[in-house]
Amino acid sequence: MNNIRKVFLLILCGMSELLLFAQEPEYSVLFRENTALNIRLNISIREVRKETNDTTYMENVYLHYENETSVWDSVQVEIRTRGDFRLKECFFPPLRVKIRKKHAKGTLFEGNKALKLVLPCSKSRDNNALIVKEFLCYKLYEAITPYTFSTRLVQIDLWDNTGKRPKNYQLTGFFIEDDDLVADRFNATVKDNLTLHPLALHDTSAIRHDLFQYLIANIDWSTTYMHNEKIILTTDPLRYIPLTYDFDQSGFVNASYAVINPDFGMSNVRDRVYRGFCRKDDRVILYVRDQFIELEPSILATMENYHKMLSDKDYASLEKFVGEFFEVMKSDKLFRSEILDKCRTE
């Protein structure tokens, strides 16, 4: 009887996965290419910090970009600062870019009303490498689930007009699409200011999310308090799905400014802590575990796509780090001690 129930559960999970992956994704032109986009931005970092906030934008800024025919074009945008930790701690502030429909029409940015622009934190020698690793987290999640933010790597020629002499920085960054576009892809709505227990999330989507956070050793998130998370509600069927973002505090990125939380028993930013909630039936998480094991080649292939953007030392460290995750996934003993016995009950 137990075997029959197990088969029935796996069939239900399989049907659920078909529903999740069956929809044909639609992306704006900006996110249809995987190549890095060359852009130029001329701003005063000091003025952006001083004059903008969550509601106030700096207007009449022109973002220059190299289009698909290698010709430089521009689009009028509005920008403001965003975020919390990086806004306070970093030299380059994270930005939000708003584009009015009339200005975006006919450009590479058509269909995008708002974008996040992730910049390096500091002027340190490894600043661009850290951004590549954070960007890679998004690409790894794409290999795991369709419920992700689209991203586009950018090479930024940034001129900072603060002071008498403008300073130039050659930076790597990336755009993140607006959450409404993700929701539209799945005929869903974004649920802001939602009070929802994590166990109310769609089970396989939530477990997939939690194991991914464990993969990259990230604890800087909460689906309960919607910290670095968005929740969308699909309509057919009705399901709450988590969308995760902001991975600079993860062990995968391994930034020098990452904060360690001793409350989780961490002594190093690369210490993995599973923060998913316990389930009444382990068979669902075991089903998702098998999915991760099957996805190992795709995950490693995704990493290989960006090998050239990292030093051999950095890349070898990432390979070893991800390999340690799959050691846990493939070992019944380790999976029991590190995941099943460490799941949250409150």
Side-chain angles (χ1 to χ4, degrees):
M1 183 66 179
N2 287 337
N3 288 337
I4 294 176
R5 288 181 61 194
K6 182 176 181 180
V7 171
F8 181 67
L9 177 64
L10 293 179
I11 289 173
L12 285 178
C13 288
M15 292 175 63
S16 170
E17 294 304 300
L18 288 175
L19 287 171
L20 293 182
F21 287 90
Q23 303 183 58
E24 186 69 26
E26 295 183 3
Y27 302 97
S28 65
V29 177
L30 177 63
F31 295 107
R32 291 176 192 169
E33 295 290 335
N34 289 322
T35 55
L37 177 68
N38 293 321
I39 67 172
R40 295 173 184 157
L41 196 58
N42 193 322
I43 58 174
S44 166
I45 292 177
R46 183 172 62 191
E47 287 184 18
V48 170
R49 284 184 174 279
K50 181 180 178 181
E51 303 296 336
T52 72
N53 52 44
D54 286 349
T55 57
T56 304
Y57 285 80
M58 181 174 287
E59 300 179 348
N60 300 320
V61 176
Y62 282 86
L63 190 155
H64 298 262
Y65 64 96
E66 190 175 17
N67 65 25
E68 61 278 5
T69 61
S70 299
V71 174
W72 282 89
D73 203 343
S74 65
V75 59
Q76 186 175 333
V77 301
E78 301 170 28
I79 63 172
R80 66 167 172 83
T81 56
R82 63 176 182 84
D84 186 16
F85 179 87
R86 278 191 268 200
L87 180 58
K88 295 177 182 176
E89 301 295 331
C90 296
F91 175 79
F92 299 106
L95 300 176
R96 187 165 183 85
V97 181
K98 184 167 70 173
I99 313 171
R100 297 188 183 275
K101 187 176 181 179
K102 64 179 181 180
H103 295 143
K105 186 176 181 180
T107 76
L108 183 63
F109 296 88
E110 186 168 359
N112 293 277
K113 297 179 182 179
L115 295 163
K116 291 179 180 178
L117 178 56
V118 182
L119 300 175
C121 178
S122 70
K123 297 181 283 186
S124 64
R125 182 177 299 180
D126 66 345
N127 62 351
N128 289 332
L130 294 177
I131 281 289
V132 171
K133 287 189 281 187
E134 184 177 2
F135 172 78
L136 187 48
C137 289
Y138 288 88
K139 306 310 286 187
L140 293 181
Y141 202 41
E142 282 184 19
I144 294 165
T145 176
Y147 292 105
T148 64
F149 289 97
S150 293
T151 52
R152 179 76 181 270
L153 201 65
V154 293
Q155 299 295 346
I156 311 167
D157 182 16
L158 177 66
W159 284 93
D160 177 17
N161 293 323
T162 301
K164 295 181 179 180
R165 294 184 178 180
K167 294 183 179 180
N168 180 251
Y169 301 97
Q170 298 298 312
L171 306 175
T172 298
F174 58 93
F175 284 123
I176 305 175
E177 71 176 335
D178 192 60
D179 46 26
D180 285 334
L181 291 185
V182 186
D184 289 345
R185 270 203 297 281
F186 299 100
N187 193 27
T189 54
V190 178
K191 308 303 289 185
D192 291 319
N193 302 317
L194 185 68
T195 302
L196 188 73
H197 193 282
L199 287 176
L201 297 170
H202 177 238
D203 52 6
T204 53
S205 296
I207 294 169
R208 190 180 295 112
H209 163 280
D210 298 342
L211 286 176
F212 166 74
Q213 302 284 15
Y214 181 77
L215 162 62
I216 64 171
N218 186 39
I219 62 166
D220 189 28
W221 60 273
S222 171
T223 50
T224 303
Y225 298 104
M226 299 183 72
H227 172 61
N228 290 337
E229 300 283 339
K230 290 288 186 178
I231 305 295
I232 60 172
L233 176 62
T234 61
T235 57
D236 187 18
L238 285 171
R239 285 176 176 151
Y240 289 105
I241 309 289
L243 301 175
T244 186
Y245 57 94
D246 257 4
F247 307 122
D248 67 313
Q249 297 285 331
S250 70
F252 188 93
V253 176
N254 199 20
S256 60
Y257 61 83
V259 178
I260 297 170
N261 191 332
D263 292 340
F264 293 123
M266 298 176 65
S267 59
N268 187 289
V269 71
R270 284 198 149 191
D271 289 341
R272 286 188 168 98
V273 179
Y274 184 66
R275 298 190 60 232
F277 273 78
C278 300
R279 304 275 166 170
K280 291 182 179 179
D281 195 327
D282 288 342
R283 287 175 294 184
V284 179
I285 191 171
L286 293 176
Y287 169 79
V288 179
R289 170 200 182 189
D290 288 341
Q291 283 189 325
F292 269 83
I293 294 172
E294 292 176 2
L295 286 170
E296 182 180 11
S298 296
I299 289 171
L300 295 179
T302 299
M303 289 176 55
E304 180 61 33
N305 289 338
Y306 298 93
H307 187 167
K308 293 181 179 179
M309 299 192 71
L310 297 168
S311 69
D312 288 341
K313 181 179 179 181
D314 263 355
Y315 189 77
S317 177
L318 290 181
E319 276 193 314
K320 182 176 183 294
F321 188 64
V322 171
E324 290 167 351
F325 165 80
F326 281 107
E327 287 177 9
V328 174
M329 291 297 103
K330 294 174 183 178
S331 166
D332 290 341
K333 182 179 179 180
L334 289 175
F335 192 81
R336 167 61 62 181
S337 63
E338 299 303 317
I339 305 298
L340 297 180
D341 290 347
K342 298 288 181 63
C343 60
R344 298 170 61 188
T345 57
E346 59 181 12

